[in-house]
Amino acid sequence: MPDKKKEHTFSATLEIIGVNPFVRLPELILNELFIAAGRDKGPIPIHGKINDRPYTQTLMKFRGLWRLYVNMTMLKDSPKRIGETVHISVSFDHRDRSISMHPKLAAALESSPEAKAVFERQSISLQKEIIRYIAHLKSEDSVDRNVHRAIQFLLGKERFVGRAPVLE
């Protein structure tokens, strides 16, 4: 039985692809994470520390290589630190990361069958993006305003989360 909580440590050089800083994981550690996750496809949830600062992230495969993308929350000024060696600990993150749909978004989708149908035809990642955006809003006014915008977005009438309206 694999140890899902095992922490792996290594040092790596911060690289960049496009505008995204990342590090490559040693093959042995990557394989251990696959075993802990029970898969070697799709995003792999992880957590650990970079230079002793805690992070929660997702391992992603892009252009045939698995990468740990390093954002500025994880490492201050990360895009300016390309070429620097960083010290990393990483473990498979077995915690549930699902986010429940806000009841007001669920109600709005139920009351607009056309918007609901469009929502259900979107990629899982876009569905999650909409759900996550609304779930993290602080005030009820913001929730109300953004639920309305999300429905209008799905109906092809308004921008939402920095995206052009859905056109089907």
Side-chain angles (χ1 to χ4, degrees):
M1 183 82 176
D3 182 0
K4 291 188 175 196
K5 295 182 180 182
K6 182 175 180 183
E7 181 178 82
H8 306 278
T9 59
F10 65 100
S11 295
T13 301
L14 195 59
E15 301 179 51
I16 195 162
I17 185 166
V19 297
N20 301 304
F22 72 94
V23 295
R24 296 175 198 232
L25 279 75
E27 200 70 29
L28 182 62
I29 292 174
L30 193 54
N31 287 330
E32 290 279 332
L33 292 170
F34 293 156
I35 290 167
R39 65 179 193 275
D40 63 358
K41 292 182 175 26
I44 307 288
I46 58 168
H47 63 102
K49 292 182 180 178
I50 184 165
N51 290 350
D52 292 322
R53 182 182 177 130
Y55 70 85
T56 299
Q57 186 59 290
T58 304
L59 280 179
M60 303 293 291
K61 189 173 187 179
F62 180 68
R63 294 187 181 164
L65 292 176
W66 284 91
R67 296 177 168 93
L68 168 56
Y69 288 98
V70 178
N71 59 42
M72 295 208 329
T73 304
M74 294 167 64
L75 184 66
K76 185 178 179 191
D77 294 327
S78 56
K80 296 178 182 175
R81 297 169 74 166
I82 304 308
E84 183 178 316
T85 298
V86 292
H87 306 286
I88 299 169
S89 70
V90 61
S91 300
F92 172 69
D93 190 353
H94 62 280
R95 298 172 294 180
D96 180 16
R97 292 189 182 179
S98 61
I99 298 172
S100 298
M101 183 181 293
H102 194 286
K104 288 185 177 181
L105 177 58
L109 289 170
E110 285 303 319
S111 68
S112 176
E114 184 182 352
K116 182 178 181 180
V118 172
F119 179 81
E120 290 172 349
R121 287 193 298 270
Q122 301 309 302
S123 67
I124 297 296
S125 62
L126 180 56
Q127 290 177 22
K128 286 181 181 179
E129 185 177 355
I130 293 168
I131 290 168
R132 184 174 38 250
Y133 183 85
I134 291 173
H136 286 103
L137 294 171
K138 304 280 188 246
S139 75
E140 287 304 308
D141 286 343
S142 291
V143 170
D144 292 342
R145 193 171 46 255
N146 283 281
V147 164
H148 174 76
R149 287 180 59 215
I151 298 301
Q152 294 304 302
F153 166 75
L154 293 167
L155 295 174
K157 298 178 181 178
E158 189 173 326
R159 292 183 66 82
F160 184 67
V161 293
R163 296 175 180 267
V166 174
L167 299 174
E168 292 193 319

